[in-house]
Amino acid sequence: MEKSKENVLVAGANGTTGKQVVSYLKESQYFNPIAMVRKEEQQEQFKIQDIDTVLGALEKELSHVVKGVDKVIFAAGSGGHTGPEKTTAVDQEGAKSLINAAKNAGVKKFVMLSSINADNPESSTTLRHYLEAKRNADNYLKKSGLVYTIVRPGTLKNETGTRKIEAAIDVEPGEITRDDVAYTLVHVLNDDVAQNAVFEMIEGDERIEDAIKQMF
């Protein structure tokens, strides 16, 4: 008897990384993606691929988006170049709201896309507020009682991934492809991978699966 797939909500599904996450989930034999988007016109690109969608805005009530959801990937973000108010609303408070909704719905695992240096916002003058928002959201998740994995990649680039990374609790700043980040976010959804763990990652020499397994 075939095991039914787990429903995975992807917050930020319309973003560059989010779209790749949805694509990897769609290819997976274990997961069924549910793309969370803000606007109706953003649904069509997913519907033509036979991918489930749900309308929801992180700044608004979110209980409906987690109905029937087994796990969550938070890949949303205002980006480091929006104003402080938007960053706080999306990256911090929006994340907290979705964490609350996920907990109330009995979600089994919450995977957070964070950022390298989220524990050290003072490391960057230009991104300090952004990193503070990420740190606050990460800390909220850790204290939520949900099973979690927090992934903190270096500077994102749009090239094809290599499936090889350097991963540790703390790594030197560097770059990594969105492709490899998306693949990693899907990999850590598995129940036996990086439970209640936080790690940073940049491009490197070890296979993603091996690098994460060796850490935990």
Side-chain angles (χ1 to χ4, degrees), residues 138-205:
D138 292 354
N139 288 341
Y140 193 82
L141 177 57
K142 286 190 276 187
K143 295 173 183 176
S144 69
L146 285 165
V147 175
Y148 66 85
T149 307
I150 298 170
V151 181
R152 294 175 167 171
T155 303
L156 301 176
K157 58 182 183 178
N158 294 323
E159 298 163 20
T160 303
T162 64
R163 296 292 176 273
K164 292 186 176 181
I165 60 170
E166 176 187 343
I169 303 303
D170 186 20
V171 300
E172 289 297 315
E175 295 184 325
I176 189 162
T177 66
R178 293 179 185 275
D179 186 11
D180 282 336
V181 171
Y183 183 90
T184 300
L185 292 172
V186 173
H187 175 61
V188 300
L189 275 177
N190 291 291
D191 291 330
D192 58 345
V193 178
Q195 296 285 74
N196 297 326
V198 185
F199 63 91
E200 297 183 345
M201 59 185 282
I202 56 173
E203 54 195 1
D205 299 320

Side-chain angles (χ1 to χ4, degrees), residues 42 80 98 102 108 193-194 196:
Q42 294 170 340
L98 190 56
K108 294 189 286 185
V193 178
N196 297 326

Side-chain angles (χ1 to χ4, degrees), residues 64-80:
H64 67 287
V65 305
V66 288
K67 286 181 180 176
V69 166
D70 297 295
K71 295 176 179 177
V72 172
I73 293 179
F74 187 94
S78 62

